[in-house]
Amino acid sequence: MLDFFAIFSKGGIVLWCFQGAGVSESFAGPVNALIRSVILQERTGNSSFTHNALSLKYKLDNEFELVFVVGFQKILTLTYVDKFIDDVQLHFRDRYKNELGQKGALKFLVNHFEFEDDFSRLLREAEGGSIARPQKPMRTYNESQKSQKTVKSMIETKGGDKGKEQTGKKNKQAKKGRKGFGGMFGMLKGLVGSKTLTQQDMEPILEKMKDHLIAKNVAADIASQLCDSVAKKLEGKVMGTFTTVASTVKQALQESLVQILQPKRRVDILRDVLEARAQRKPFVITFCGVNGVGKSTNLAKISYWLIENGFTVLIAACDTFRAGAVEQLRTHQRRLNSLHPPEQHGGHPVVQLFEKGYGKDAAGIAMEAIAYARNQCFDVVLVDTAGRMQDNAPLMTALAKLIAVNTPDLVLFVGEALVGNEAVDQLVKFNQALADHSMSDHPRLIDGIVLTKFDTIDDKVGAAISMTYITGQPIVFVGTGQTYSDLRSLNARAVVNALMKA
Ligand SMILES: Nc1nc2c(ncn2[C@@H]2O[C@H](COP(=O)(O)OP(=O)(O)OP(=O)(O)O)[C@@H](O)[C@H]2O)c(=O)[nH]1
Ligand SMILES: [Mg+2]
């Protein structure tokens, strides 16, 4: 009545199987279909499945990570099947619990399970119980023979003989026969994922992941490097049971992404400012980046945040290049002071602008501003610089000089979340310029990132990855709009979730 019964590990190794008398069709097809459309997709709530003319019922054994599947013709109504699977599962577990306990060793035990006798008995009982009672005692021998034959026919051993009890492990023919099944299940193994991951297994999935990351605005080079490193990390790895190649790769990638976003070094500006204050010097932050990314606006937001935290701020107007840059900062200074009027702060303005107009040397103005802040006991100096393209050598040199001369406590690179492949080029060249013009053995490079316009990108959050990957530095602030309160810290988990989301 049954077409087949198969017991396989969640890793895809067929431990034991049975094929019904007269059934010529391989059950690899329906079982593969079951795996593909139900088990791999973890839609295992329902325990039945149909494939062409077959009904499949299956049961997962989560303790030993096994799958029990039975197949029979759809037109049959086999009322005993559910209980039968339960019985087979119980007996199989009971009989082989020691072997099953050593999960890693399962693959060496493929030919080990001499389960025919138990299975036949259970099947007899199940079928007997489901039809007219009187037949039950009569059928025993008959049935046992039949099922022996069945087993043999499916393992395509030589002709004929013996329905006799097998004396355990010594039955070589049966063993050999079952090896034949191994071959038949080649495809099945392929689907569930062989136990050891290879480059080829992962290639198609990694390719997809890479495209996915690029679609989320991760720079293409970085998406490639990330996928390569995931492949390297996973190659040769023995996969967890019942994990698919896709889910293993996805998980590894997710872990890498979280790791990239999680800073090795914490930037705690408030603590550092306090420390600097204790040493009676201002804490100096320089903002740099290409044109129009939001340096001045986010500098103003950071001023607001510092003021709210009880610090005083001197803004150094070192963009002496773009028309309107100084006035833009003056406007912010006025607004900030009106939000925190001097009357509330012992008559002192909480924020002041240090400016020398246009055309002058920015490095010199920064130096004067820092000296002024020290004298006037400002807690923090925020140095605004002119936007510059990373290929503009003279301007890059000027920036590098400003940083080399003034040794700020923090160099923040301001970059738009909208940026794609450009992110890599910008950061590499900014860092390169800083390194080239440093006078120190340990050049001051970018220490942190301000990721702006995060409110404009939906879930295309890839720039966060590109920037942290290239610099190895944390995203210290995220700009999420144009008002002073639109400043956040990065939530790495949320970014990774957005990245992984289809
Ligand atoms: N939506 C949104 N807009 C922002 C954000 N940050 C800055 N902007 C806008 O981006 C534009 C450019 O901002 P600026 O602060 O002048 O940029 P900048 O980098 O100083 O520009 P340059 O000094 O010319 O290089 C302005 O219109 C800002 O309001 C943000 O987080 N979200
Ligand atoms: Mg500006």
Side-chain angles (χ1 to χ4, degrees):
M1 291 276 229
L2 299 185
D3 275 41
F4 70 84
F5 195 112
I7 304 173
F8 55 94
S9 77
K10 287 179 174 181
I13 299 164
V14 177
L15 301 180
W16 187 85
C17 55
F18 155 90
Q19 190 150 8
V23 176
S24 56
E25 223 169 278
S26 154
F27 48 88
V31 169
N32 275 336
L34 169 77
I35 290 171
R36 212 183 332 229
S37 52
V38 179
I39 295 176
L40 291 190
Q41 296 176 26
E42 305 195 17
R43 290 191 281 141
T44 47
N46 192 345
S47 65
S48 58
F49 175 72
T50 53
H51 179 75
N52 301 335
L54 283 184
S55 276
L56 272 67
K57 290 218 166 207
Y58 57 90
K59 184 152 190 219
L60 307 182
D61 182 314
N62 287 324
E63 182 184 351
F64 291 126
E65 303 188 307
L66 302 176
V67 186
F68 295 78
V69 193
V70 60
F72 51 91
Q73 295 295 316
K74 218 160 38 185
I75 47 164
L76 298 177
T77 320
L78 300 183
T79 50
Y80 60 84
V81 165
D82 287 332
K83 179 172 181 308
F84 180 58
I85 298 185
D86 287 348
D87 290 346
V88 171
Q89 181 197 14
L90 282 177
H91 276 77
F92 193 80
R93 279 173 57 110
D94 202 42
R95 188 159 161 186
Y96 297 112
K97 52 181 175 291
N98 293 336
E99 291 88 338
L100 295 172
Q102 319 165 334
K103 284 175 194 149
L106 271 188
K107 56 174 168 287
F108 304 116
L109 295 172
V110 172
N111 297 319
H112 175 83
F113 301 98
E114 309 268 356
F115 194 57
E116 289 75 29
D117 44 357
D118 270 9
F119 181 81
S120 307
R121 186 174 48 75
L122 290 168
L123 182 59
R124 256 189 335 264
E125 284 171 12
E127 288 181 340
S130 74
I131 40 179
R133 219 173 245 165
Q135 290 182 348
K136 194 167 35 173
M138 306 281 295
R139 303 184 79 199
T140 315
Y141 269 131
N142 226 349
E143 276 297 299
S144 110
Q145 240 166 17
K146 216 192 243 171
S147 54
Q148 292 285 342
K149 215 193 252 162
T150 301
V151 170
K152 234 156 277 140
S153 69
M154 87 188 202
I155 48 186
E156 47 191 39
T157 42
K158 54 271 334 278
D161 76 33
K162 98 201 60 168
K164 49 173 94 158
E165 290 293 67
Q166 299 167 356
T167 34
K169 47 211 58 207
K170 302 241 155 90
N171 191 330
K172 279 216 165 149
Q173 282 179 2
K175 276 191 179 172
K176 217 204 252 153
R178 252 170 275 130
K179 232 176 213 153
F181 285 136
M184 190 155 87
F185 272 94
M187 190 179 156
L188 174 64
K189 279 186 191 172
L191 266 177
V192 184
S194 55
K195 290 294 261 185
T196 308
L197 273 172
T198 66
Q199 200 69 276
Q200 279 112 307
D201 293 334
M202 294 182 279
E203 187 123 344
I205 292 143
L206 283 168
E207 200 56 38
K208 254 201 212 147
M209 292 283 176
K210 192 178 83 184
D211 292 345
H212 177 79
L213 290 175
I214 292 170
K216 295 277 180 171
N217 218 13
V218 175
D221 282 356
I222 289 168
S224 280
Q225 286 176 40
L226 260 171
C227 289
D228 287 352
S229 78
V230 165
K232 282 210 191 84
K233 192 164 119 190
L234 291 180
E235 194 174 10
K237 181 180 146 96
V238 177
M239 279 212 299
T241 39
F242 220 30
T243 48
T244 62
V245 179
S247 68
T248 307
V249 167
K250 204 169 159 187
Q251 195 187 338
L253 180 64
Q254 195 160 343
E255 282 162 12
S256 301
L257 293 171
V258 171
Q259 204 128 54
I260 290 168
L261 290 176
Q262 238 136 38
K264 297 171 279 300
R265 193 175 57 83
R266 279 193 66 79
V267 173
D268 186 341
I269 293 180
L270 297 179
R271 188 199 59 197
D272 293 349
V273 172
L274 278 176
E275 214 165 90
R277 187 199 257 174
Q279 297 171 32
R280 298 181 180 286
K281 53 181 199 182
F283 186 80
V284 181
I285 307 177
T286 303
F287 293 75
C288 61
V290 305
N291 308 78
V293 290
K295 291 178 296 298
S296 308
T297 306
N298 286 279
L299 177 149
K301 292 185 211 171
I302 292 165
S303 304
Y304 177 72
W305 172 73
L306 287 165
I307 294 163
E308 291 273 303
N309 280 283
F311 296 116
T312 54
V313 176
L314 183 70
I315 297 174
C318 297
D319 179 356
T320 58
F321 196 75
R322 179 176 64 76
V326 177
E327 289 71 20
Q328 183 185 2
L329 292 176
R330 179 158 321 275
T331 307
H332 283 304
Q333 180 238 343
R334 289 209 179 108
R335 264 200 243 155
L336 289 167
N337 273 320
S338 69
L339 290 169
H340 277 271
E343 305 82 74
Q344 293 173 9
H345 296 270
H348 298 292
V350 285
V351 52
Q352 214 173 306
L353 182 68
F354 188 95
E355 57 105 350
K356 295 282 171 193
Y358 294 91
K360 305 242 173 54
D361 171 44
I365 298 175
M367 186 168 281
E368 284 178 49
I370 294 166
Y372 179 80
R374 192 189 293 262
N375 284 338
Q376 302 292 314
C377 296
F378 279 94
D379 297 315
V380 186
V381 181
L382 300 180
V383 181
D384 188 35
T385 65
R388 64 202 76 214
M389 297 312 289
Q390 67 273 21
D391 287 316
N392 185 327
L395 289 182
M396 291 303 290
T397 305
L399 174 71
K401 187 183 136 203
L402 184 151
I403 287 168
V405 168
N406 290 291
T407 59
D409 298 287
L410 197 62
V411 177
L412 291 181
F413 176 86
V414 184
E416 284 178 334
L418 307 156
V419 78
N421 290 327
E422 260 286 284
V424 178
D425 198 49
Q426 286 180 14
L427 281 160
V428 166
K429 288 185 172 149
F430 269 75
N431 261 337
Q432 191 59 52
L434 298 190
D436 287 350
H437 299 93
S438 167
M439 289 168 265
S440 147
D441 291 341
H442 304 286
R444 285 304 305 279
L445 305 181
I446 290 162
D447 303 305
I449 291 156
V450 182
L451 188 61
T452 64
K453 311 192 187 180
F454 207 70
D455 51 311
T456 64
I457 50 159
D458 290 327
D459 61 359
K460 293 196 188 325
V461 296
I465 290 294
S466 306
M467 292 185 189
T468 41
Y469 186 90
I470 283 288
T471 57
Q473 301 297 354
I475 290 173
V476 185
F477 297 104
V478 180
T480 55
Q482 310 198 39
T483 73
Y484 291 142
S485 55
D486 292 326
L487 191 67
R488 302 278 182 280
S489 53
L490 188 86
N491 179 343
R493 284 267 154 214
V495 169
V496 172
N497 287 344
L499 274 173
M500 299 306 288
K501 210 175 73 192

